[in-house]
Amino acid sequence: MLSRFRAEYEASRRAPRPVPKLFNFLEAAYPACHSQAHELGKALFAATGDIEMALRECRTSCTSGCMHGAVSEAFATESPEKIAARMNAFCAAGEMARLHKPGNCAHGLGHGLMFVTRNDVRMSIDACLGFTTEPMQYYCATGVYMEKFMHDRASGVTRPSSLSPCDQESLFPAACYRYKGVERLSAVGSQSLVKRECSQLKGLQRRGCFHGLGYASIDPVWQKAGRIGPAC
């Protein structure tokens, strides 16, 4: 599959603006297209072997999903320790710094760390601490947990409790609940029931849970702004 993509990609580069046409299709077929673009980003880097070129092709399309995939593939052969040693400089230079906010870069590296550690959340979060500022560590953790939830959903993983794995996260619970909130609201279909679950928690866990519920409420509020009052 990759060899076929590489051949077709190289051939298509002679046509005017081939890659943007792919994104136009993705964004028309899947309005968010974030997860779909992950695979395109991985394929772009694998085809070129050049992260700068892949980032230029990806731009910010599909809410930067393509960039996240390209970064994951670019760092796939490096150890978590080597990624941690490079991450601050990587997010502050080249096409990455020109095209993306620092936090978005950190989020992409969180995805990459999960790829390298074979979905080991604890090892990936520890590597995120290689960022020198806490906000960047947090954004990296959001990438870790986004990848965790995507992988678990695709693999049909059964969770031991309704709030797992977020109830085990002590450093960045909000990074986990950002995706758990979407999962729980989809599962129970009621904001009030999720609110009840969040209310039983304390401290950072409670705040993180309500953050996740707010994130899960974006779509209905986006469709009708007047819903923001009742949602909150």
Side-chain angles (χ1 to χ4, degrees), residues 168-184:
Q168 301 300 312
E169 175 57 46
S170 58
L171 288 176
F172 305 108
C176 183
Y177 282 109
R178 184 176 181 86
Y179 308 104
K180 169 57 73 172
V182 175
E183 183 180 273
R184 289 303 297 154

Side-chain angles (χ1 to χ4, degrees), residues 55-60 94-101:
L55 292 174
R56 283 194 295 271
E57 297 278 25
C58 286
R59 297 173 291 118
T60 58
E95 290 296 287
M96 179 60 78
R98 184 178 74 84
L99 293 167
H100 299 281
K101 299 289 187 182

